[in-house]
Amino acid sequence: MNGAAPPRRIWLCADDYGLSDGVNRAILELIELGRLNATSVMMVTPAIGRDAAAGLQAAVANSPRCAIGLHVTLTAPFRPLTLHFRPLDGDMFLPFAKLLRRGLSRRLDAELVHAEVLAQLEAFGELFGRAPDFVDGHQHVQLFPQVRDGVLRAVKERAPEAWVRQGGRNAPLSRRLAAPKALVLDMLSAQFRRKAAKLGLRFNPAFAGAYDFTRENDFAALMRGFLDGLPADGLVMCHPGFVDETLRSLDPLTTQRETEHAYLASDDFAALLALNKVTLA
């Protein structure tokens, strides 16, 4: 008789390490509990520095299969590391919607994006002493037209062994049509995958975790849906955190981060992983 099928290993990635002390603390707790196996780090935010990097490295040392990535950040209210980045809104990056519109209308300069991503990769290397394990983007900017060209070229040049995050789902069309936000990510990701493959860069085979943060949600039910049909090495994005004044001043996603943290730390989440034969180890 054949033995039971081995569990599917997936990536459960917490975005936004470095955004605030409360976000950092929540992510570190979940790594230490074995409830995350990836986190992506913002390099242009107030809560990233030597101490935050050392804390993350110490947590990951006890979870050696936990990956640390670069969370490329190109949207307001954050500011670029490079002096000549354009376009800007005052001294900040453009807001998300304006950046996406500029990309869709081909009014961005991929060379300026490339230079900024190189600077963020360099800042990551200075703090962590190595290249990131993977590269993704805050508010999915790595997928935007023209932005993706600059991002992928920078990764190929400075971190060619890193994989890059695409946001396309592995789900029936009927399910994809029911989630408009995720459908946009599907469309943006198709070209991103083609360009990444042409450069010889690896990427996750499937993605889950997008939902409407502006409304109340049953995160446990959402997570059940995220895991349903997700293949091995597929990635689920999450945003755990504890609310503090810094977070409130920088990001509209606040109390939902605490809801995510509470569920991911719970016995119910561990039971869901076991029920679905999913592992993070």
Side-chain angles (χ1 to χ4, degrees):
M1 295 179 61
N2 293 328
R8 287 175 289 153
R9 183 176 185 272
I10 67 163
W11 294 105
L12 180 56
C13 179
D15 286 3
D16 300 346
Y17 190 86
L19 179 57
S20 75
D21 290 339
V23 168
N24 291 359
R25 183 161 55 88
I27 291 173
L28 293 176
E29 285 187 11
L30 291 172
I31 291 173
E32 289 164 357
L33 285 171
R35 301 298 174 81
L36 294 172
N37 60 1
T39 187
S40 50
V41 182
M42 305 173 84
M43 300 308 304
V44 297
T45 44
I48 192 62
R50 298 288 175 192
D51 289 345
L56 180 54
Q57 287 175 309
V60 168
N62 295 318
S63 301
R65 297 199 68 181
C66 184
I68 303 175
L70 171 65
H71 201 47
V72 170
T73 305
L74 300 172
T75 53
F78 307 106
R79 295 170 175 81
L81 296 182
T82 50
L83 292 175
H84 303 294
F85 187 89
R86 297 291 184 277
L88 294 175
D89 184 359
D91 63 346
M92 296 187 296
F93 292 119
L94 294 182
F96 162 84
K98 285 187 177 180
L99 183 69
L100 179 57
R101 286 197 295 270
R102 290 279 187 118
L104 289 170
S105 60
R106 312 296 296 180
R107 291 186 295 139
L108 293 175
D109 187 332
E111 289 299 324
L112 294 177
V113 172
H114 171 253
E116 177 63 24
V117 178
L118 287 178
Q120 293 186 24
L121 282 165
E122 182 177 350
F124 182 100
E126 289 176 355
L127 270 188
F128 290 93
R130 63 176 180 85
D133 297 309
F134 65 96
V135 175
D136 57 27
H138 187 55
Q139 299 182 318
H140 310 290
V141 293
Q142 82 279 14
L143 305 176
F144 293 4
Q146 294 192 291
V147 173
R148 59 193 170 216
D149 298 311
V151 170
L152 291 171
R153 188 155 62 89
V155 174
K156 179 66 175 179
E157 291 172 7
R158 296 293 174 85
E161 299 303 314
W163 50 274
V164 291
R165 186 166 91 188
Q166 65 92 23
R169 292 169 295 168
N170 179 29
L173 180 61
S174 59
R175 281 180 58 187
R176 288 189 278 131
L177 291 174
K181 178 180 177 180
L183 187 61
V184 172
L185 296 181
D186 287 341
M187 294 187 290
L188 292 173
S189 293
Q191 186 68 12
F192 181 87
R193 291 193 301 270
R194 285 193 287 270
K195 288 178 177 288
K198 188 174 182 179
L199 289 171
L201 295 172
R202 296 174 296 126
F203 49 84
N204 52 301
F207 174 84
Y211 65 97
D212 186 353
F213 299 129
T214 65
R215 51 185 290 187
E216 288 191 16
N217 293 280
D218 180 345
F219 189 68
L222 287 169
M223 185 59 72
R224 288 194 293 272
F226 297 156
L227 295 182
D228 184 23
L230 190 73
D233 294 322
L235 183 144
V236 179
M237 168 189 71
C238 61
H239 295 84
F242 297 122
V243 178
D244 56 24
E245 288 306 313
T246 301
L247 177 61
R248 287 192 185 97
S249 71
L250 292 174
D251 197 88
L253 179 56
T254 55
T255 55
Q256 183 62 21
R257 293 180 187 267
E258 295 193 347
T259 300
E260 291 196 17
H261 173 272
Y263 178 72
L264 295 175
S266 71
D267 292 341
D268 287 347
F269 179 55
L272 179 69
L273 293 176
L275 180 66
N276 285 272
K277 296 183 171 60
V278 168
T279 182
L280 306 178

